[in-house]
Amino acid sequence: MKHLKININILEFEGETIFKDINFTLNKNDKVAIVGSNGAGKSSLMKILTGEMKNYDGSIDNVGNLSLGYLKQIYSDNENKLVREELREAFAEIVKMEAELDNLESKMASDSQNMNLIENYTILLEQFNNIGGNDYKNQIHQVANGIGILELLDKKLTEISGGQRTKVALAKVLLESPDILFLDEPTNFIDMNSVEWLESFLQNKWKSGYVIISHDREFLDKTCDKTYEVQKGRGLTYYFSNYTGYLSERDRIEKKKMDEYKREQEYLEKQKNLINRFRAGSRAGWAKSREKSLEKREIIEAPVIQRKPKFFFSYTGETPEKLLSFKECFIGRENPLFFINELYLYRNQRIGIVGENGVGKSTFIKTILGQIKMLDGFFGKGKGLKIGYYSQMHEELDTTKTVRENFLKQKIEYPDQQLISLLNHYLFDMKFLDKKVSELSGGERSKLLFAILGQKEFNLLILDEPTNHLDYDTRESLEEALSKFSGSILFISHDRYFVNKLSTNIWFISEGELSVSYGNYEDYKFKLENNIDMDLSLWDQEAELNLVLEEKLGEKAFKRIKEKFSGGKKRK
């Protein structure tokens, strides 16, 4: 079977060991998720596997000459090239054959009796059809539509943004159909609909293998059946399950390793006490022999137990019944992006805002904050409303100032010892106090902003992509803290798992209007797929909707809904 034989003895950077002793075989049809904490070396491992990085001790043997596809940013000698032409390059052999067929057709038009031309044309046409020549334009259209770049096909590369170029690069590498596809955070720059399309494409249409790095847990669960964990300074741990299975198995293995380590330490302590006890006297020879035996013993390393950060959110203790009110509002910067007929944010609600990229989600949040003026309509805030805001671009942080200075800027004047104790909850040590924010990674900036946010009291948190840059364990800690917050939350996120776990209702923007779906993201998708009115709760003890659901969905689906929601109360 075709495969990559991977042997990485060690990868070092500036004297620091990133990882070592990695040995495994990657088969052509393997579907692997690479996971690990921020800075563990996931992207470095992928660059080694694809040949992008060479400065390591080891080797990669490509048995069977597999073609490897790696998502890269597009750079072209011809920036006036159309996006459609860039994607056509994924079918270089077909495009070349198509040009040859066009040339033969031109010759046959002026020499229709030439049997050699006709024979060559017939042979080439058969080859063209056999390699999918009649279907490649349709494939371009389907993938471009799924990724969300259909409207860009006839634009020049010079006319599209950096984010759009990355989408084009993703579409191109999918169309190239390599033997093994390597994707590093493919869901970071596409909206939920495109993520779900990519998920379905990999599940149902991709005929080969792939390796994926992603913080989207649901995406990994549905696309990968193997999970390889990178631990900084060590090797890989292999789990033959999806992401959810990996979490369960990791906890079991870590507990077992810790138990073995503790037993080993207890045994060593007893042996050392015996050796010290009999080192002098008639049993000195026995003690010396036992000491040499211990020196030869293979010592069990202490297991790596990743610390998790602790997030804190303080509640004012007072909240108006209606925090936000909207009536016949137009949202946009200069021209309307969408319309709100009538909408309220109530006490204790946790609202996830969803919609395709560009529909105006962030514009909406900045309108609520007063950073952008509402174009038209009534917008009101409840008395005593106190908003805490987290921006995905970390705009509240001054990158030219140190961590300590950023706390002072927000009028948080703690002694250094108290500040160090606080930062320790977010896995920072004392050296971070005098680091400039510009020197911090994206994940570190996110945690710093949350540390600052947690020192003030609010009754409404507004969060714009709060899970970006955060690793898996940090996201789970954030989810836990937010679920305990007694106030209301309004948030934007492309992380479906996060939206599903946190939201009580969904505000979705579609076809130029913001509407409400009662329930979490899973409920929203269920209603969408089954053509159920969004403004109805899926289960309501007091309503007649249950009869409508049973008739519409059938007995089996209705039973699932009843089991899920029958204990619930009517939701606002």
Side-chain angles (χ1 to χ4, degrees), residues 156-184:
K156 297 177 181 177
L157 293 177
T158 53
E159 297 173 338
I160 64 176
S161 68
Q164 290 170 331
R165 289 172 83 101
T166 309
K167 287 185 178 184
V168 172
L170 175 58
K172 185 177 181 180
V173 77
L174 291 175
L175 290 167
E176 286 172 341
S177 297
D179 291 325
I180 303 180
L181 178 66
F182 292 85
L183 299 176
D184 192 347

PDB file of all heavy atoms in Angstrom, residues 156-184:
ATOM      1  N   LYS A 156     -10.219  39.384 -10.963  1.00  0.00           N
ATOM      2  CA  LYS A 156      -8.778  39.175 -11.031  1.00  0.00           C
ATOM      3  C   LYS A 156      -8.224  38.942  -9.626  1.00  0.00           C
ATOM      4  O   LYS A 156      -8.815  39.379  -8.636  1.00  0.00           O
ATOM      5  CB  LYS A 156      -8.098  40.385 -11.655  1.00  0.00           C
ATOM      6  CG  LYS A 156      -8.500  40.657 -13.105  1.00  0.00           C
ATOM      7  CD  LYS A 156      -7.836  41.918 -13.621  1.00  0.00           C
ATOM      8  CE  LYS A 156      -8.256  42.212 -15.062  1.00  0.00           C
ATOM      9  NZ  LYS A 156      -7.671  43.469 -15.571  1.00  0.00           N
ATOM     10  N   LEU A 157      -7.084  38.262  -9.549  1.00  0.00           N
ATOM     11  CA  LEU A 157      -6.463  38.009  -8.245  1.00  0.00           C
ATOM     12  C   LEU A 157      -6.140  39.320  -7.531  1.00  0.00           C
ATOM     13  O   LEU A 157      -6.180  39.386  -6.296  1.00  0.00           O
ATOM     14  CB  LEU A 157      -5.180  37.183  -8.416  1.00  0.00           C
ATOM     15  CG  LEU A 157      -5.370  35.740  -8.903  1.00  0.00           C
ATOM     16  CD1 LEU A 157      -4.020  35.061  -9.107  1.00  0.00           C
ATOM     17  CD2 LEU A 157      -6.218  34.936  -7.927  1.00  0.00           C
ATOM     18  N   THR A 158      -5.849  40.362  -8.296  1.00  0.00           N
ATOM     19  CA  THR A 158      -5.540  41.666  -7.698  1.00  0.00           C
ATOM     20  C   THR A 158      -6.760  42.299  -7.044  1.00  0.00           C
ATOM     21  O   THR A 158      -6.632  43.213  -6.238  1.00  0.00           O
ATOM     22  CB  THR A 158      -5.000  42.645  -8.761  1.00  0.00           C
ATOM     23  OG1 THR A 158      -5.923  42.686  -9.863  1.00  0.00           O
ATOM     24  CG2 THR A 158      -3.645  42.220  -9.254  1.00  0.00           C
ATOM     25  N   GLU A 159      -7.943  41.820  -7.392  1.00  0.00           N
ATOM     26  CA  GLU A 159      -9.182  42.447  -6.926  1.00  0.00           C
ATOM     27  C   GLU A 159      -9.774  41.769  -5.691  1.00  0.00           C
ATOM     28  O   GLU A 159     -10.818  42.197  -5.202  1.00  0.00           O
ATOM     29  CB  GLU A 159     -10.228  42.431  -8.054  1.00  0.00           C
ATOM     30  CG  GLU A 159      -9.821  43.239  -9.276  1.00  0.00           C
ATOM     31  CD  GLU A 159     -10.778  43.073 -10.451  1.00  0.00           C
ATOM     32  OE1 GLU A 159     -11.500  42.043 -10.500  1.00  0.00           O
ATOM     33  OE2 GLU A 159     -10.804  43.968 -11.302  1.00  0.00           O
ATOM     34  N   ILE A 160      -9.124  40.723  -5.179  1.00  0.00           N
ATOM     35  CA  ILE A 160      -9.700  40.011  -4.032  1.00  0.00           C
ATOM     36  C   ILE A 160      -8.794  40.160  -2.810  1.00  0.00           C
ATOM     37  O   ILE A 160      -7.588  40.408  -2.933  1.00  0.00           O
ATOM     38  CB  ILE A 160      -9.954  38.525  -4.343  1.00  0.00           C
ATOM     39  CG1 ILE A 160      -8.645  37.779  -4.620  1.00  0.00           C
ATOM     40  CG2 ILE A 160     -10.904  38.383  -5.521  1.00  0.00           C
ATOM     41  CD1 ILE A 160      -8.820  36.280  -4.831  1.00  0.00           C
ATOM     42  N   SER A 161      -9.394  40.031  -1.622  1.00  0.00           N
ATOM     43  CA  SER A 161      -8.668  40.239  -0.367  1.00  0.00           C
ATOM     44  C   SER A 161      -7.803  39.027  -0.020  1.00  0.00           C
ATOM     45  O   SER A 161      -7.905  37.966  -0.641  1.00  0.00           O
ATOM     46  CB  SER A 161      -9.671  40.473   0.765  1.00  0.00           C
ATOM     47  OG  SER A 161     -10.410  39.291   1.024  1.00  0.00           O
ATOM     48  N   GLY A 162      -6.970  39.202   1.030  1.00  0.00           N
ATOM     49  CA  GLY A 162      -6.128  38.103   1.490  1.00  0.00           C
ATOM     50  C   GLY A 162      -6.945  36.915   1.952  1.00  0.00           C
ATOM     51  O   GLY A 162      -6.618  35.763   1.662  1.00  0.00           O
ATOM     52  N   GLY A 163      -8.046  37.175   2.688  1.00  0.00           N
ATOM     53  CA  GLY A 163      -8.912  36.088   3.136  1.00  0.00           C
ATOM     54  C   GLY A 163      -9.567  35.364   1.987  1.00  0.00           C
ATOM     55  O   GLY A 163      -9.699  34.139   1.999  1.00  0.00           O
ATOM     56  N   GLN A 164      -9.967  36.130   0.958  1.00  0.00           N
ATOM     57  CA  GLN A 164     -10.580  35.511  -0.226  1.00  0.00           C
ATOM     58  C   GLN A 164      -9.555  34.688  -1.000  1.00  0.00           C
ATOM     59  O   GLN A 164      -9.889  33.624  -1.542  1.00  0.00           O
ATOM     60  CB  GLN A 164     -11.182  36.600  -1.113  1.00  0.00           C
ATOM     61  CG  GLN A 164     -12.418  37.247  -0.511  1.00  0.00           C
ATOM     62  CD  GLN A 164     -12.872  38.479  -1.275  1.00  0.00           C
ATOM     63  OE1 GLN A 164     -12.066  39.191  -1.896  1.00  0.00           O
ATOM     64  NE2 GLN A 164     -14.166  38.760  -1.234  1.00  0.00           N
ATOM     65  N   ARG A 165      -8.312  35.138  -1.031  1.00  0.00           N
ATOM     66  CA  ARG A 165      -7.254  34.367  -1.708  1.00  0.00           C
ATOM     67  C   ARG A 165      -7.037  33.017  -1.008  1.00  0.00           C
ATOM     68  O   ARG A 165      -6.778  32.000  -1.656  1.00  0.00           O
ATOM     69  CB  ARG A 165      -5.950  35.162  -1.731  1.00  0.00           C
ATOM     70  CG  ARG A 165      -5.974  36.355  -2.656  1.00  0.00           C
ATOM     71  CD  ARG A 165      -4.728  37.203  -2.467  1.00  0.00           C
ATOM     72  NE  ARG A 165      -3.605  36.698  -3.214  1.00  0.00           N
ATOM     73  CZ  ARG A 165      -3.174  37.199  -4.385  1.00  0.00           C
ATOM     74  NH1 ARG A 165      -3.818  38.201  -4.941  1.00  0.00           N
ATOM     75  NH2 ARG A 165      -2.136  36.697  -4.983  1.00  0.00           N
ATOM     76  N   THR A 166      -7.165  33.021   0.322  1.00  0.00           N
ATOM     77  CA  THR A 166      -7.004  31.774   1.057  1.00  0.00           C
ATOM     78  C   THR A 166      -8.143  30.813   0.730  1.00  0.00           C
ATOM     79  O   THR A 166      -7.940  29.601   0.604  1.00  0.00           O
ATOM     80  CB  THR A 166      -6.958  32.046   2.571  1.00  0.00           C
ATOM     81  OG1 THR A 166      -5.989  33.057   2.837  1.00  0.00           O
ATOM     82  CG2 THR A 166      -6.577  30.793   3.337  1.00  0.00           C
ATOM     83  N   LYS A 167      -9.351  31.352   0.567  1.00  0.00           N
ATOM     84  CA  LYS A 167     -10.480  30.512   0.146  1.00  0.00           C
ATOM     85  C   LYS A 167     -10.223  29.925  -1.239  1.00  0.00           C
ATOM     86  O   LYS A 167     -10.525  28.758  -1.501  1.00  0.00           O
ATOM     87  CB  LYS A 167     -11.771  31.337   0.121  1.00  0.00           C
ATOM     88  CG  LYS A 167     -12.340  31.677   1.479  1.00  0.00           C
ATOM     89  CD  LYS A 167     -13.676  32.384   1.302  1.00  0.00           C
ATOM     90  CE  LYS A 167     -14.325  32.699   2.628  1.00  0.00           C
ATOM     91  NZ  LYS A 167     -15.660  33.296   2.467  1.00  0.00           N
ATOM     92  N   VAL A 168      -9.690  30.751  -2.145  1.00  0.00           N
ATOM     93  CA  VAL A 168      -9.365  30.278  -3.498  1.00  0.00           C
ATOM     94  C   VAL A 168      -8.316  29.163  -3.410  1.00  0.00           C
ATOM     95  O   VAL A 168      -8.407  28.152  -4.113  1.00  0.00           O
ATOM     96  CB  VAL A 168      -8.860  31.441  -4.381  1.00  0.00           C
ATOM     97  CG1 VAL A 168      -8.337  30.919  -5.719  1.00  0.00           C
ATOM     98  CG2 VAL A 168      -9.978  32.460  -4.621  1.00  0.00           C
ATOM     99  N   ALA A 169      -7.324  29.355  -2.532  1.00  0.00           N
ATOM    100  CA  ALA A 169      -6.282  28.337  -2.363  1.00  0.00           C
ATOM    101  C   ALA A 169      -6.867  27.025  -1.852  1.00  0.00           C
ATOM    102  O   ALA A 169      -6.478  25.933  -2.297  1.00  0.00           O
ATOM    103  CB  ALA A 169      -5.208  28.841  -1.401  1.00  0.00           C
ATOM    104  N   LEU A 170      -7.826  27.111  -0.935  1.00  0.00           N
ATOM    105  CA  LEU A 170      -8.496  25.903  -0.422  1.00  0.00           C
ATOM    106  C   LEU A 170      -9.266  25.207  -1.538  1.00  0.00           C
ATOM    107  O   LEU A 170      -9.175  23.984  -1.701  1.00  0.00           O
ATOM    108  CB  LEU A 170      -9.430  26.268   0.732  1.00  0.00           C
ATOM    109  CG  LEU A 170     -10.286  25.127   1.294  1.00  0.00           C
ATOM    110  CD1 LEU A 170      -9.424  23.971   1.779  1.00  0.00           C
ATOM    111  CD2 LEU A 170     -11.188  25.632   2.415  1.00  0.00           C
ATOM    112  N   ALA A 171     -10.009  25.992  -2.312  1.00  0.00           N
ATOM    113  CA  ALA A 171     -10.764  25.409  -3.428  1.00  0.00           C
ATOM    114  C   ALA A 171      -9.826  24.724  -4.416  1.00  0.00           C
ATOM    115  O   ALA A 171     -10.107  23.618  -4.902  1.00  0.00           O
ATOM    116  CB  ALA A 171     -11.572  26.498  -4.132  1.00  0.00           C
ATOM    117  N   LYS A 172      -8.690  25.361  -4.697  1.00  0.00           N
ATOM    118  CA  LYS A 172      -7.755  24.806  -5.682  1.00  0.00           C
ATOM    119  C   LYS A 172      -7.154  23.488  -5.208  1.00  0.00           C
ATOM    120  O   LYS A 172      -7.061  22.519  -5.970  1.00  0.00           O
ATOM    121  CB  LYS A 172      -6.644  25.818  -5.965  1.00  0.00           C
ATOM    122  CG  LYS A 172      -5.683  25.363  -7.067  1.00  0.00           C
ATOM    123  CD  LYS A 172      -4.639  26.425  -7.370  1.00  0.00           C
ATOM    124  CE  LYS A 172      -3.689  25.973  -8.486  1.00  0.00           C
ATOM    125  NZ  LYS A 172      -2.658  26.990  -8.789  1.00  0.00           N
ATOM    126  N   VAL A 173      -6.746  23.421  -3.925  1.00  0.00           N
ATOM    127  CA  VAL A 173      -6.122  22.193  -3.436  1.00  0.00           C
ATOM    128  C   VAL A 173      -7.150  21.060  -3.366  1.00  0.00           C
ATOM    129  O   VAL A 173      -6.807  19.883  -3.573  1.00  0.00           O
ATOM    130  CB  VAL A 173      -5.430  22.424  -2.069  1.00  0.00           C
ATOM    131  CG1 VAL A 173      -6.419  22.491  -0.919  1.00  0.00           C
ATOM    132  CG2 VAL A 173      -4.378  21.353  -1.797  1.00  0.00           C
ATOM    133  N   LEU A 174      -8.429  21.372  -3.133  1.00  0.00           N
ATOM    134  CA  LEU A 174      -9.469  20.345  -3.167  1.00  0.00           C
ATOM    135  C   LEU A 174      -9.675  19.826  -4.591  1.00  0.00           C
ATOM    136  O   LEU A 174      -9.828  18.621  -4.820  1.00  0.00           O
ATOM    137  CB  LEU A 174     -10.785  20.905  -2.634  1.00  0.00           C
ATOM    138  CG  LEU A 174     -10.857  21.235  -1.138  1.00  0.00           C
ATOM    139  CD1 LEU A 174     -12.192  21.890  -0.798  1.00  0.00           C
ATOM    140  CD2 LEU A 174     -10.654  19.995  -0.281  1.00  0.00           C
ATOM    141  N   LEU A 175      -9.649  20.735  -5.559  1.00  0.00           N
ATOM    142  CA  LEU A 175      -9.850  20.356  -6.954  1.00  0.00           C
ATOM    143  C   LEU A 175      -8.678  19.548  -7.506  1.00  0.00           C
ATOM    144  O   LEU A 175      -8.844  18.731  -8.408  1.00  0.00           O
ATOM    145  CB  LEU A 175     -10.077  21.603  -7.803  1.00  0.00           C
ATOM    146  CG  LEU A 175     -11.414  22.329  -7.576  1.00  0.00           C
ATOM    147  CD1 LEU A 175     -11.393  23.709  -8.230  1.00  0.00           C
ATOM    148  CD2 LEU A 175     -12.582  21.506  -8.110  1.00  0.00           C
ATOM    149  N   GLU A 176      -7.486  19.768  -6.950  1.00  0.00           N
ATOM    150  CA  GLU A 176      -6.307  19.016  -7.412  1.00  0.00           C
ATOM    151  C   GLU A 176      -6.381  17.542  -7.025  1.00  0.00           C
ATOM    152  O   GLU A 176      -5.691  16.709  -7.617  1.00  0.00           O
ATOM    153  CB  GLU A 176      -5.039  19.637  -6.823  1.00  0.00           C
ATOM    154  CG  GLU A 176      -4.662  20.955  -7.487  1.00  0.00           C
ATOM    155  CD  GLU A 176      -3.523  21.674  -6.780  1.00  0.00           C
ATOM    156  OE1 GLU A 176      -3.261  21.361  -5.597  1.00  0.00           O
ATOM    157  OE2 GLU A 176      -2.912  22.572  -7.388  1.00  0.00           O
ATOM    158  N   SER A 177      -7.194  17.206  -6.026  1.00  0.00           N
ATOM    159  CA  SER A 177      -7.406  15.808  -5.583  1.00  0.00           C
ATOM    160  C   SER A 177      -6.093  15.064  -5.354  1.00  0.00           C
ATOM    161  O   SER A 177      -5.842  14.020  -5.967  1.00  0.00           O
ATOM    162  CB  SER A 177      -8.253  15.045  -6.614  1.00  0.00           C
ATOM    163  OG  SER A 177      -9.526  15.627  -6.727  1.00  0.00           O
ATOM    164  N   PRO A 178      -5.232  15.558  -4.453  1.00  0.00           N
ATOM    165  CA  PRO A 178      -3.984  14.838  -4.158  1.00  0.00           C
ATOM    166  C   PRO A 178      -4.262  13.522  -3.435  1.00  0.00           C
ATOM    167  O   PRO A 178      -5.356  13.312  -2.896  1.00  0.00           O
ATOM    168  CB  PRO A 178      -3.223  15.818  -3.256  1.00  0.00           C
ATOM    169  CG  PRO A 178      -4.302  16.605  -2.582  1.00  0.00           C
ATOM    170  CD  PRO A 178      -5.389  16.763  -3.610  1.00  0.00           C
ATOM    171  N   ASP A 179      -3.260  12.651  -3.395  1.00  0.00           N
ATOM    172  CA  ASP A 179      -3.420  11.377  -2.686  1.00  0.00           C
ATOM    173  C   ASP A 179      -3.635  11.599  -1.188  1.00  0.00           C
ATOM    174  O   ASP A 179      -4.410  10.896  -0.556  1.00  0.00           O
ATOM    175  CB  ASP A 179      -2.191  10.494  -2.903  1.00  0.00           C
ATOM    176  CG  ASP A 179      -2.090   9.998  -4.334  1.00  0.00           C
ATOM    177  OD1 ASP A 179      -3.149   9.743  -4.941  1.00  0.00           O
ATOM    178  OD2 ASP A 179      -0.961   9.887  -4.855  1.00  0.00           O
ATOM    179  N   ILE A 180      -2.892  12.555  -0.616  1.00  0.00           N
ATOM    180  CA  ILE A 180      -3.097  12.928   0.788  1.00  0.00           C
ATOM    181  C   ILE A 180      -3.197  14.449   0.862  1.00  0.00           C
ATOM    182  O   ILE A 180      -2.330  15.164   0.355  1.00  0.00           O
ATOM    183  CB  ILE A 180      -1.971  12.428   1.715  1.00  0.00           C
ATOM    184  CG1 ILE A 180      -1.816  10.906   1.618  1.00  0.00           C
ATOM    185  CG2 ILE A 180      -2.255  12.819   3.159  1.00  0.00           C
ATOM    186  CD1 ILE A 180      -0.712  10.334   2.498  1.00  0.00           C
ATOM    187  N   LEU A 181      -4.245  14.916   1.499  1.00  0.00           N
ATOM    188  CA  LEU A 181      -4.514  16.348   1.629  1.00  0.00           C
ATOM    189  C   LEU A 181      -4.119  16.797   3.032  1.00  0.00           C
ATOM    190  O   LEU A 181      -4.457  16.155   4.021  1.00  0.00           O
ATOM    191  CB  LEU A 181      -6.009  16.596   1.400  1.00  0.00           C
ATOM    192  CG  LEU A 181      -6.556  18.008   1.530  1.00  0.00           C
ATOM    193  CD1 LEU A 181      -5.984  18.905   0.443  1.00  0.00           C
ATOM    194  CD2 LEU A 181      -8.080  17.978   1.442  1.00  0.00           C
ATOM    195  N   PHE A 182      -3.393  17.912   3.124  1.00  0.00           N
ATOM    196  CA  PHE A 182      -2.977  18.461   4.418  1.00  0.00           C
ATOM    197  C   PHE A 182      -3.621  19.837   4.603  1.00  0.00           C
ATOM    198  O   PHE A 182      -3.386  20.751   3.803  1.00  0.00           O
ATOM    199  CB  PHE A 182      -1.446  18.594   4.480  1.00  0.00           C
ATOM    200  CG  PHE A 182      -0.723  17.274   4.491  1.00  0.00           C
ATOM    201  CD1 PHE A 182      -0.421  16.625   3.299  1.00  0.00           C
ATOM    202  CD2 PHE A 182      -0.351  16.668   5.680  1.00  0.00           C
ATOM    203  CE1 PHE A 182       0.244  15.404   3.291  1.00  0.00           C
ATOM    204  CE2 PHE A 182       0.308  15.450   5.681  1.00  0.00           C
ATOM    205  CZ  PHE A 182       0.612  14.814   4.488  1.00  0.00           C
ATOM    206  N   LEU A 183      -4.434  19.970   5.653  1.00  0.00           N
ATOM    207  CA  LEU A 183      -5.168  21.211   5.899  1.00  0.00           C
ATOM    208  C   LEU A 183      -4.856  21.722   7.302  1.00  0.00           C
ATOM    209  O   LEU A 183      -5.111  21.039   8.295  1.00  0.00           O
ATOM    210  CB  LEU A 183      -6.678  20.984   5.765  1.00  0.00           C
ATOM    211  CG  LEU A 183      -7.194  20.517   4.398  1.00  0.00           C
ATOM    212  CD1 LEU A 183      -8.687  20.235   4.464  1.00  0.00           C
ATOM    213  CD2 LEU A 183      -6.894  21.561   3.326  1.00  0.00           C
ATOM    214  N   ASP A 184      -4.308  22.931   7.393  1.00  0.00           N
ATOM    215  CA  ASP A 184      -3.982  23.569   8.666  1.00  0.00           C
ATOM    216  C   ASP A 184      -5.020  24.651   8.943  1.00  0.00           C
ATOM    217  O   ASP A 184      -5.023  25.698   8.300  1.00  0.00           O
ATOM    218  CB  ASP A 184      -2.562  24.158   8.606  1.00  0.00           C
ATOM    219  CG  ASP A 184      -2.049  24.582   9.978  1.00  0.00           C
ATOM    220  OD1 ASP A 184      -2.869  24.648  10.917  1.00  0.00           O
ATOM    221  OD2 ASP A 184      -0.842  24.854  10.102  1.00  0.00           O
TER     222      ASP A 184
END
